[in-house]
Amino acid sequence: MRITFVLETASLAGGVRVVATYAERLMRRGHEVCVVSQPVRPTPWRDQLRALLRRREWTPYVKYLPSYLDDSPIEHRKMPMRRPVTDADVPDADVIVATWWETAEWVARLSPTKGAKAYFLQHFETWGGPPERVEATWRLPMHKIVISKWLRELAESRFGDPDVSHVPNSVDTELFFAPPRGKQPTPTVGMMFAAVPFKGANDAFAALEVVRRRHPDLKLVMFGKETPTPQVTPPPWAKIEKTPPQKRLRELYAQCDVWLCASHAEGFHLPPLEAMACRCPVVSTRVGGPQDIVVGGANGFLVDVGDVGALADRVERVLGMDAPQWRAMSDAALATATGFTWDDATDGFEAALRRAVEKAPAPDRA
């Protein structure tokens, strides 16, 4: 097949990594793959001025960000300016895949010669655009590909579409792994840092302050691409690494006794599964992917969104386990992660694209 992916912006975001992974794996299977992306959205001058006053330095505008498509064999067409994608920007193809609500609006208007239309949904993106426009994209006549059961159920119950392909994300176990290990000499919790409210960082910090009363030597290690803000500031005893390389991520996961996710919403959220691949139990809120992979009491625990007390309690339970109990939970976490392979995921994604072609009106198949 000739396959085109349309990205909002190519970057080091987790969703872009998933698209880049599928693009490269599909190319290796003999498909002709192209990715089209937009330049970075310019920061409004008022926001730049606020940042200047806060940090006393001006952040220059960067047109293109480092991304998971850099040094990739995939054809990557970077548009010279931000505007809706048109027929002139994309090659003729058998199937074209929107990867964000705004790209879905653009893809819906393209000529049938650009391919049958599919919509790869990694979140319900009402946080990233006008809710009414985001919801309208879910009603477009495109075959939906979703990464979690929650998104599949949303497509059916809210938008009346039962014919959806559910293809869970996977984890690269050649990149994320750890030898058999025990608990750390100093109790250590890991989490991804993000300042956007739906990631729930402040809930995590509040829960860990409770845990620290019983474990005053508690360590918190974090990674992320965002900078702390006055509204979302890590505790002074936490350590944060900004945009570490993939190999370093593995080291961070492998030095933790428990991985914490306090998000209020997620489409899938790869870090918990990557942590499991590094033999780390997970404590998470009931969101997206964690609901599909965490089995309470076996490889971690799930709690309700916003329940800071429950987050603290479950983290304490993991930290308080004796060595054999923790090792059993660690082994169960690894078994869960190795049950998800990118080969299986690519099989599912390939089948989903063929389903999009089957469902397209006759002119789209011409």
Side-chain angles (χ1 to χ4, degrees):
M1 287 187 290
R2 297 168 299 166
I3 303 164
T4 304
F5 290 89
V6 181
L7 281 174
E8 196 268 342
T9 300
S11 68
L12 294 175
V16 175
R17 176 165 53 155
V18 172
V19 171
T21 298
Y22 278 131
E24 190 161 337
R25 284 177 168 269
L26 288 165
M27 185 201 70
R28 290 176 187 167
R29 293 186 177 198
H31 300 291
E32 186 178 324
V33 182
C34 175
V35 177
V36 176
S37 69
Q38 297 268 325
V40 174
R41 190 184 303 274
T43 303
W45 70 267
R46 289 184 180 86
D47 293 343
Q48 277 279 41
L49 182 58
R50 291 191 191 99
L52 174 64
L53 294 173
R54 189 167 61 242
R55 298 194 300 265
R56 303 296 181 186
E57 62 180 27
W58 184 265
T59 303
Y61 172 62
V62 177
K63 192 171 185 179
Y64 302 107
L65 296 172
S67 85
Y68 290 108
L69 289 161
D70 295 345
D71 303 318
S72 168
I74 299 299
E75 179 186 0
H76 181 197
R77 298 188 182 184
K78 298 180 180 180
M79 293 181 59
M81 60 182 293
R82 288 193 68 88
R83 57 170 173 74
V85 171
T86 67
D87 282 0
D89 301 311
V90 298
D92 289 353
D94 298 300
V95 60
I96 185 165
V97 187
T99 60
W100 169 258
W101 70 268
E102 200 171 9
T103 68
E105 293 180 335
W106 304 334
V107 167
R109 295 193 288 265
L110 296 179
S111 162
T113 62
K114 304 306 171 181
K117 297 174 174 65
Y119 191 5
F120 183 35
L121 292 146
Q122 299 194 66
H123 211 312
F124 185 40
E125 298 151 347
T126 50
W127 51 269
E132 65 280 1
R133 287 176 64 187
V134 175
E135 292 188 16
T137 65
W138 283 67
R139 299 185 178 93
L140 291 170
M142 301 181 181
H143 182 62
K144 299 179 186 67
I145 308 169
V146 300
I147 60 175
S148 64
K149 294 176 183 177
W150 168 66
L151 291 172
R152 182 184 65 193
E153 292 163 1
L154 183 68
E156 182 170 3
S157 64
R158 187 163 176 173
F159 299 101
D161 188 353
D163 187 9
V164 172
S165 296
H166 173 213
V167 186
N169 286 338
S170 189
V171 61
D172 184 351
T173 53
E174 293 184 2
L175 180 61
F176 296 104
F177 61 88
R181 61 188 179 94
K183 294 169 65 178
Q184 301 298 309
T186 301
T188 305
V189 177
M191 60 177 279
M192 191 186 85
F193 175 80
V196 290
F198 78 84
K199 291 292 187 178
N202 283 337
D203 289 349
F205 299 151
L208 293 176
E209 289 288 2
V210 173
V211 174
R212 199 163 182 256
R213 294 171 196 162
R214 293 189 59 181
H215 301 273
D217 57 343
L218 181 69
K219 290 174 59 178
L220 171 58
V221 297
M222 297 181 291
F223 70 86
K225 60 185 179 65
E226 297 182 34
T227 301
T229 67
Q231 294 75 32
V232 185
T233 302
W237 46 273
K239 178 183 178 183
I240 182 169
E241 296 190 21
K242 191 168 184 179
T243 319
Q246 297 295 292
K247 182 179 178 181
R248 177 59 181 158
L249 283 184
R250 179 177 73 235
E251 295 169 352
L252 290 174
Y253 290 135
Q255 67 181 253
C256 295
D257 296 309
V258 57
W259 191 261
L260 178 60
C261 167
S263 293
H264 297 181
E266 291 288 352
F268 188 86
H269 196 46
L270 274 172
L273 191 60
E274 292 171 349
M276 285 184 169
C278 298
R279 299 179 180 271
C280 188
V282 171
V283 171
S284 175
T285 46
R286 290 186 173 88
V287 291
Q291 289 188 106
D292 297 346
I293 64 173
V294 177
V295 179
N299 56 14
F301 293 100
L302 290 171
V303 306
D304 291 338
V305 169
D307 193 337
V308 170
L311 284 170
D313 176 77
R314 301 314 188 275
V315 169
E316 284 198 26
R317 286 195 201 183
V318 179
L319 295 179
M321 290 178 173
D322 61 28
Q325 288 174 320
W326 187 90
R327 180 68 174 270
M329 184 167 275
S330 171
D331 289 345
L334 175 66
T336 297
T338 54
F340 291 80
T341 72
W342 276 116
D343 284 340
D344 291 341
T346 306
D347 287 344
F349 202 90
E350 191 174 32
L353 296 181
R354 296 193 187 282
R355 179 61 181 145
V357 174
E358 290 171 2
K359 288 171 64 176
D364 281 18
R365 296 198 298 270

